[in-house]
């Protein structure tokens, strides 16, 4: 795992931090590898998956046992952007990711550069990010993993108290908004609940989706509703409810 790396982003006009996991044998070979972009949760940072999730240990063991193929795993710092392009265009994180970070990784590491070799996954805020990145960029990614996804229904967003909404979402989707006014065009353009109906189904079907959430998680109801809505539109996916809360 290489930590403390940065990408000089012209789109974000700042340095974007990231960490990267390179599989056993990478340094001594010439082989190219598939890539998983692994997104962290709200208020975490690019090293969270290693520091708290022990991702490197788990992947090492899975590769050794043959349960996973060797792969590169990229963990970018998403701050509290929810991995979207904000409505003012000041922090277009997703544009940076698609137009700068993915090409940078594929130019500087031995990463395979075809759709079938790219996946995006994440937890909480990162699960939401993985879903909308995979759906909006279905031509680039073959699969999405959303763990305890922070994907709110419209009604849930409308019900947030004003202080919580303004702190967490106002600067991204529209400030000082109440009720139905919060369901802005920017919100809709990143909401998986809207994307599954706004993007042609045949294009969405080119991506594989895996969703999971704990039964005691405060996001359980919204994750279950997304599962139901995906069934309603006929979008194939796997959904698993497990025993657990919103923690590592």
């Amino acid at each position: 795992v290489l930590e403390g790396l940065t990408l000089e982003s012209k789109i974000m006009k700042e340095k974007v931090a990231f960490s990267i996991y390179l599989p056993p044998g990478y340094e001594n070979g010439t082989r190219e590898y598939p890539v998983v972009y692994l997104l962290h949760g709200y208020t975490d940072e690019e090293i969270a998956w290693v520091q708290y999730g022990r991702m490197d240990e788990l992947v090492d063991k899975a590769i050794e046992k043959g349960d996973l193929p060797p792969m590169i795993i990229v963990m970018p710092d998403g701050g509290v952007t929810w991995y979207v392009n904000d409505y003012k265009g000041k922090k277009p994180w997703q544009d940076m990711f698609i137009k700068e970070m993915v090409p940078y990784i594929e130019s500087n590491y031995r990463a395979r550069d075809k759709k079938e070799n790219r996946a995006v996954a994440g937890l909480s805020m990162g699960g939401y990010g993985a879903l909308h990145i995979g759906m909006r960029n279905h031509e680039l990614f073959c699969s999405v993993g959303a763990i305890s996804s922070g994907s709110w229904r419209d009604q849930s967003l409308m019900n947030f108290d004003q202080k919580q909404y303004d702190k967490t979402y106002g600067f991204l989707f529209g400030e000082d908004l109440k009720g139905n006014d919060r369901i802005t065009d920017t919100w809709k353009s990143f909401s998986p609940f809207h994307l599954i109906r706004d993007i042609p189904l045949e294009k969405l079907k080119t991506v594989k989706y895996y969703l999971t959430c704990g039964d005691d998680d405060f996001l359980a109801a919204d994750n279950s509703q997304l599962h139901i809505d995906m069934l309603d539109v006929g979008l194939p996916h796997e959904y698993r409810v497990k025993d657990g809360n919103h923690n590592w």
Side-chain angles (χ1 to χ4, degrees):
V1 176
L2 305 179
E3 302 175 8
L5 306 176
T6 58
L7 167 69
E8 192 73 50
S9 171
K10 294 180 180 178
I11 292 174
M12 293 279 284
K13 299 178 182 176
E14 62 184 40
K15 291 182 179 180
V16 178
F18 69 95
S19 297
I20 189 167
Y21 166 92
L22 301 174
Y26 180 91
E27 294 173 344
N28 300 318
T30 58
R31 178 179 177 180
E32 294 183 339
Y33 298 92
V35 183
V36 173
Y37 293 89
L38 191 57
L39 310 180
H40 64 75
Y42 186 70
T43 72
D44 273 338
E45 54 190 1
E46 74 281 357
I47 201 59
W49 269 105
V50 174
Q51 185 171 0
Y52 304 117
R54 297 168 40 230
M55 178 281 301
D56 52 331
E57 296 177 37
L58 297 173
V59 175
D60 277 349
K61 292 177 182 177
I63 291 174
E64 185 178 1
K65 290 174 61 180
D67 293 337
L68 286 178
M71 62 179 70
I72 294 170
I73 300 176
V74 180
M75 295 158 281
D77 182 9
V80 292
T81 65
W82 290 80
Y83 306 102
V84 306
N85 298 328
D86 68 295
Y87 79 108
K88 289 183 177 179
K90 292 184 176 180
K91 295 291 182 182
W93 195 95
Q94 189 162 138
D95 282 353
M96 176 281 300
F97 177 70
I98 296 298
K99 298 176 182 179
E100 294 179 326
M101 180 159 283
V102 171
Y104 178 85
I105 295 299
E106 293 176 358
S107 296
N108 289 275
Y109 298 91
R110 296 199 311 275
R112 297 182 179 230
D113 61 357
K114 297 292 191 294
K115 170 185 168 81
E116 59 266 27
N117 296 301
R118 294 191 201 98
V120 58
L123 66 86
S124 194
M125 179 183 84
Y128 165 79
L131 283 165
H132 64 66
I133 286 171
M135 290 175 178
R136 286 166 53 100
N137 303 280
H138 47 77
E139 74 283 359
L140 295 179
F141 297 94
C142 68
S143 58
V144 165
I147 304 166
S148 301
S149 166
S151 300
W152 299 111
R153 294 168 287 177
D154 287 357
Q155 193 61 49
S156 296
L157 186 74
M158 291 163 59
N159 289 341
F160 284 148
D161 66 60
Q162 197 64 38
K163 184 177 180 180
Q164 182 183 11
Y165 172 82
D166 289 339
K167 176 185 177 182
T168 309
Y169 295 110
F171 68 101
L172 296 173
F173 302 115
E175 295 167 305
D176 301 320
L177 300 178
K178 297 178 175 62
N180 192 61
D181 290 341
R182 294 175 179 174
I183 313 305
T184 63
D185 288 343
T186 304
W187 168 259
K188 293 177 183 178
S189 71
F190 291 97
S191 166
F193 289 95
H194 288 271
L195 293 174
I196 60 174
R197 290 181 166 85
D198 294 341
I199 296 174
L201 184 60
E202 290 308 309
K203 292 183 177 180
L204 292 175
K205 283 183 174 181
T206 66
V207 181
K208 294 180 179 180
Y209 303 92
Y210 177 84
L211 289 72
T212 185
C213 192
D215 55 353
D216 295 317
D217 197 312
F218 68 90
L219 291 163
D222 290 83
N223 276 262
S224 294
Q225 188 62 56
L226 181 58
H227 159 61
I228 292 169
D229 285 11
M230 292 172 83
L231 288 175
D232 286 345
V233 301
L235 182 57
H237 64 286
E238 290 191 32
Y239 178 56
R240 298 289 180 269
V241 177
K242 300 182 179 182
D243 182 29
N245 209 320
H246 198 74
N247 53 43
W248 286 100

